[in-house]
């Protein structure tokens, strides 16, 4: 049996499933004195919990990278899970399957049990959310770059900074980055499961880029949503990786 840990990022008390794989973690603990029961905390050990307003669920990823021992590392959200069943379900215009609540019945429907997840995940190096076509989702952008540019409270110059960082630090990615940003396919939500070796490689690469971005960018007057820019950028970096 593989040691699989999928952290569920939570910023408020929510319904949770009984599982040895799906592990809730409270994020932004450094900025909030309230503590939720039966959850890990992203401010234990080496952490960037205080950066949660900017890094969102990435504070859980950083915490896991520095403090958690596992064969596989995964990351979901308190209201976003992957479907592990073989069934396919009707989707909304953004390609998501919607349920009102996370119940035992819906958990069974989507294969959210340890046995099903263990048997599927152990066959792969990486499990990731399916590619979305931005040209098929409102407002039907013509490219991934345009989708970011048109994003709510986002600024294309921030993506340009990341492009420059990759050009200088990781030039071997540039051909793929140009194809990706000029194309229409992308993965969203920073949701994935990776083998330990891959995750550690990815985390080192991701946070090197984002920490450098943070040094260069001027987000002083950004809105609350705009401050989440590193989290939005990470979605694009995950797809590139």
């Amino acid at each position: 049996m593989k040691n699989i840990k999928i952290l569920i990022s939570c910023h408020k008390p929510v319904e949770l499933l009984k599982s040895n794989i799906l592990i809730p973690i409270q994020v932004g603990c450094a900025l909030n004195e309230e503590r939720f029961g039966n959850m890990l905390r992203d401010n234990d050990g080496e952490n960037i919990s205080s950066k949660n307003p900017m890094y969102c669920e990435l504070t859980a990823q950083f915490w896991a990278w520095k403090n958690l021992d596992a064969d596989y590392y995964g990351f979901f959200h308190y209201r976003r899970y992957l479907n592990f069943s073989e069934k396919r379900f009707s989707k909304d215009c953004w390609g998501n399957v919607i349920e009102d609540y996370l119940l035992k019945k819906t958990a069974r429907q989507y294969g959210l049990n340890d046995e099903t997840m263990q048997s599927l995940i152990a066959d792969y190096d990486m499990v990731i959310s399916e590619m979305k076509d931005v040209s098929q989702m409102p407002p039907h952008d013509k490219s991934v770059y345009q989708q970011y540019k048109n994003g709510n409270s986002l600024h294309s110059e921030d993506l340009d900074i990341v492009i420059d960082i990759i050009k200088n630090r990781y030039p071997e990615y540039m051909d793929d980055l140009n194809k990706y940003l000029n194309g229409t396919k992308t993965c969203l939500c920073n949701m994935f499961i990776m083998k330990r070796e891959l995750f550690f490689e990815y985390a080192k690469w991701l946070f090197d880029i984002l920490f450098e971005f943070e040094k260069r960018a001027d987000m002083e007057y950004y809105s609350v949503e705009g401050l989440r820019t590193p989290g939005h950028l990470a979605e694009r970096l995950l797809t590139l990786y």
Side-chain angles (χ1 to χ4, degrees):
M1 298 287 287
K2 298 294 184 181
N3 179 9
I4 302 170
K5 299 299 182 188
I6 301 175
L7 299 191
I8 312 298
S9 294
C10 304
H11 62 82
K12 62 182 180 179
V14 293
E15 290 294 325
L16 298 165
L17 299 173
K18 186 176 181 180
S19 170
N20 293 317
I21 291 178
L22 299 171
I23 311 296
I25 179 169
Q26 183 179 349
V27 295
C29 289
L31 304 173
N32 183 4
E33 294 183 358
E34 183 181 7
R35 294 292 178 261
F36 312 144
N38 301 315
M39 290 191 187
L40 299 173
R41 298 169 184 170
D42 74 345
N43 67 334
D44 290 333
E46 187 174 353
N47 68 84
I48 56 169
S49 179
S50 63
K51 295 179 182 289
N52 184 258
M54 293 188 296
Y55 283 73
C56 313
E57 63 276 356
L58 301 185
T59 61
Q61 293 185 23
F62 186 94
W63 182 88
W65 176 33
K66 297 297 185 179
N67 300 284
L68 186 64
D69 182 37
D71 298 321
Y72 283 83
Y73 295 77
F75 302 92
F76 295 172
H77 307 249
Y78 73 97
R79 61 189 181 96
R80 292 192 181 101
Y81 291 76
L82 295 181
N83 169 32
F84 288 89
S85 78
E86 296 181 358
K87 298 178 182 178
R88 292 295 176 261
F89 303 90
S90 59
K91 303 175 184 179
D92 65 10
C93 59
W94 289 278
N96 298 313
V97 180
I98 305 298
E99 295 285 352
D100 291 331
Y101 299 100
L102 179 64
L103 305 172
K104 290 182 179 179
K105 178 182 177 181
T106 52
R108 288 194 300 269
Q109 189 173 4
Y110 299 110
L112 293 170
N113 61 78
D114 288 2
E115 182 179 0
T116 299
M117 290 186 291
Q118 174 79 230
S119 63
L120 189 152
I121 294 167
D123 286 339
Y124 297 93
D125 293 338
M126 180 189 299
V127 178
I128 194 167
S129 59
E130 66 183 0
M131 285 278 189
K132 307 293 187 184
D133 189 334
V134 299
S135 69
Q136 300 302 310
M137 301 186 300
H140 306 288
D141 296 301
K142 295 182 179 179
S143 70
V144 171
Y145 186 91
Q146 185 184 69
Q147 188 222 19
Y148 190 93
K149 183 178 181 179
N150 293 337
N152 180 36
S153 299
L154 299 182
H155 307 269
S156 60
E157 55 265 34
D158 292 330
L159 185 53
D160 292 336
I161 291 173
V162 166
I163 293 171
D164 188 64
I165 293 170
I166 293 173
K167 181 179 179 180
N168 286 282
R169 295 195 177 196
Y170 303 98
E172 67 275 17
Y173 279 83
M174 284 305 298
D175 285 346
D176 286 330
L177 178 59
N178 289 327
K179 291 176 184 176
Y180 165 55
L181 292 178
N182 289 314
T184 62
K185 301 291 184 65
T186 192
C187 294
L188 300 173
C189 300
N190 286 317
M191 294 171 59
F192 63 86
I193 305 159
M194 293 185 194
K195 272 188 173 180
R196 180 186 181 90
E197 296 80 4
L198 274 180
F199 173 61
F200 275 52
E201 178 185 85
Y202 170 67
K204 181 180 179 181
W205 176 82
L206 173 71
F207 288 108
D208 180 54
I209 294 171
L210 292 181
F211 289 164
E212 178 62 23
F213 165 78
E214 195 179 344
K215 293 176 184 177
R216 298 191 192 185
D218 182 6
M219 297 187 287
E220 183 178 0
Y221 298 107
Y222 279 15
S223 66
V224 171
E225 182 62 32
L227 281 175
R228 294 162 59 92
T229 288
H232 289 287
L233 291 170
E235 293 179 280
R236 281 73 185 179
L237 290 169
L238 173 61
T239 309
L240 172 63
Y241 179 80

